[in-house]
Amino acid sequence: MMAQKLIIDCDPGTDDAIALLMALAPFTQVQVLGITTVAGNVSLDLTTANARRICELAGQTQAGVYAGCPRPLLRPLITAETVHGKTGLDGVTLPYPQMPLQSPHAVPFLIDTLMQSAGDIRIAALAPLTNLAVALIQQPAIAQKISQLVIMGGAITQGNITPSAEFNFYVDPHAAHVVLHAGIPITLVTLDITHQAIATPERLAPIRQQNTAVSQVVIDLLTHYSRHDMAIYGFAGAPLHDPCVIAYLMEPSLFTTQPVAVTVETTSELTLGRSVVDRWQVMGAAPNLNLVETIDVEGFYHLLTRAIASYAS
Ligand code: RIB
Ligand code: CA
C-alpha cells in the first residue's frame, strides 16, 4: 500500500468517525496533512469537537483539525440529527477534546496547503462539499493541485434523505455542482456502493473480538447508528458510507469504476441534490468523473478489520 498525503473533509458523524479511525490507523501508511470539518450530520461546533475526539482516541493529534463552513453556500443548514442523534457520535461517551483547534479556517488551510504543494495531495470528501466549493471559488487554481478527490456523495438509484437525493449532495447541492464541474480528477462513491457495505454482526465479529478501546468505540457507534438504517431501510446493519472512500484510497483494487458525465440538480424542489448520470452523453457533456460501480464487500471489511486491529499493536 503506497504512502500518500491526504486531507480529509468530514462531518463526524458516526461513519466519518470510523473513516477517520481507518485513515489514522498505524496500518494505513497515510500521511493525514489535516482534517477539515463542516456542518452536516450535526452543527459545525459538534463536527469539529467530534473530529478532535476521534484524533485523540486514535492517538493521532499531529494532523490538526481545521473548522470550516457552518452552513451551505445558499441553502439553510439541514443536519442529520435524526440519524445521528444530538451529538453526532451517539452510542459512545468520549471526553471533551484537549487538542487545540488549529488556525486558520478550513478554507485558507485547503488553499494554502494545496497551492504550496507539489500537486501530490489527495482529498477524501466525506461531507457536504461547502468547504471545497468555497476554496475553489476563492482560488480556482487549486483544482490543478489536487492529485485525486474521492467523494462520498450522490445516488444513482434511491436517495437517503429524499427519494432522489443523497444527504451530502442534498445539504449543499450548489457546492456539489461547483466541485463536480471544477476539472478535478474525481472518483465518486455513491449510495449504490455504500448501501452494499452493510455492517452485519458477522462482518463486525472480528472487530468485536479485538477488545481494544478503539474497536469498542467502533462497535458501540455502529450498534447505535444501525438502529436508524435498520428501521428505515430494513438493512441488517449500518451502511458504512465514508469508510468506503478511505478503503478506495488504500486499496482501489477492491472497486471498479467507469468514467461518466455526472451533474447535480440545483433548482427542482422534488429532485434537489440528485446526482444525474449521463452514461450515453446525450446531454453532450464529456465524462467528468470516475463512478465507482462495484465493491468487494468482504475485502472491504477485511481491510477495515486490519486497520482497526493495528491500534492494538
Ligand atoms: O449520505 C451519507 C453521507 O451523509 C455520509 O457522509 C454521512 O456521514 C452523511 O454525511
Ligand atoms: Ca459524512
Side-chain angles (χ1 to χ4, degrees):
M1 192 179 330
M2 54 189 286
Q4 52 187 296
K5 294 177 182 175
L6 183 64
I7 293 173
I8 303 173
D9 190 64
C10 59
D11 61 337
T14 296
D15 59 324
D16 303 70
I18 294 169
L20 288 174
L21 288 171
M22 265 182 107
L24 293 168
F27 162 86
T28 310
Q29 292 181 358
V30 167
Q31 185 188 356
V32 178
L33 301 179
I35 295 166
T36 53
T37 56
V38 70
N41 280 312
V42 288
S43 58
L44 178 66
D45 58 329
L46 280 173
T47 59
T48 305
N50 289 340
R52 290 156 67 201
R53 285 186 171 101
I54 293 300
C55 287
E56 289 187 344
L57 172 69
Q60 304 277 359
T61 56
Q62 72 284 357
V65 174
Y66 301 82
C69 297
R71 50 147 294 191
L73 291 184
L74 298 179
R75 287 171 50 77
L77 176 61
I78 298 170
T79 65
E81 277 184 11
T82 49
V83 176
H84 291 282
K86 297 305 175 201
T87 71
L89 294 183
D90 298 85
V92 295
T93 304
L94 292 173
Y96 195 78
Q98 300 306 308
M99 68 183 278
L101 181 59
Q102 295 296 320
S103 292
H105 182 283
V107 170
F109 166 76
L110 284 164
I111 293 171
D112 296 346
T113 306
L114 290 166
M115 291 309 289
Q116 290 161 22
S117 78
D120 56 349
I121 296 174
R122 290 176 168 82
I123 298 181
L126 313 179
L129 289 162
T130 317
N131 288 339
L132 202 47
V134 172
L136 282 161
I137 292 165
Q138 192 172 331
Q139 177 48 281
I142 65 170
Q144 284 66 50
K145 286 282 193 175
I146 299 169
S147 75
Q148 184 179 33
L149 169 61
V150 186
I151 298 171
M152 193 284 129
I156 310 307
T157 50
Q158 181 75 23
N160 62 351
I161 191 75
T162 72
S164 55
E166 176 277 329
F167 178 79
N168 289 335
F169 280 19
Y170 180 73
V171 166
D172 200 341
H174 305 93
H177 194 280
V178 167
V179 172
L180 262 57
H181 296 286
I184 302 168
I186 292 173
T187 298
L188 183 64
V189 182
T190 66
L191 290 181
D192 310 83
I193 296 299
T194 65
H195 276 175
Q196 297 178 50
I198 300 300
T200 62
E202 298 73 25
R203 289 171 178 156
L204 290 183
I207 295 175
R208 187 185 298 277
Q209 287 154 16
Q210 293 174 11
N211 257 331
T212 66
V214 171
S215 68
Q216 194 55 55
V217 165
V218 169
I219 295 299
D220 291 347
L221 281 171
L222 289 177
T223 303
H224 183 277
Y225 178 64
S226 61
R227 288 187 197 128
H228 170 82
D229 289 277
M230 292 165 85
I232 293 265
Y233 306 112
F235 289 156
L240 289 198
H241 306 292
D242 296 337
C244 287
V245 168
I246 305 303
Y248 182 86
L249 286 161
M250 290 165 62
E251 218 165 301
S253 61
L254 293 174
F255 304 85
T256 62
T257 63
Q258 183 71 25
V260 291
V262 180
T263 191
V264 182
E265 174 60 65
T266 56
T267 53
S268 151
E269 263 314 297
L270 177 62
T271 59
L272 189 68
R274 176 80 176 164
S275 46
V276 179
V277 178
D278 184 2
R279 232 175 253 286
W280 294 282
Q281 298 170 43
V282 294
M283 293 166 65
N288 59 327
L289 57 78
N290 284 317
L291 178 68
V292 175
E293 301 235 288
T294 65
I295 176 175
D296 169 355
V297 178
E298 301 318 323
F300 165 73
Y301 274 93
H302 186 51
L303 183 64
L304 172 62
T305 301
R306 282 184 292 163
I308 299 302
S310 69
Y311 284 101
S313 47

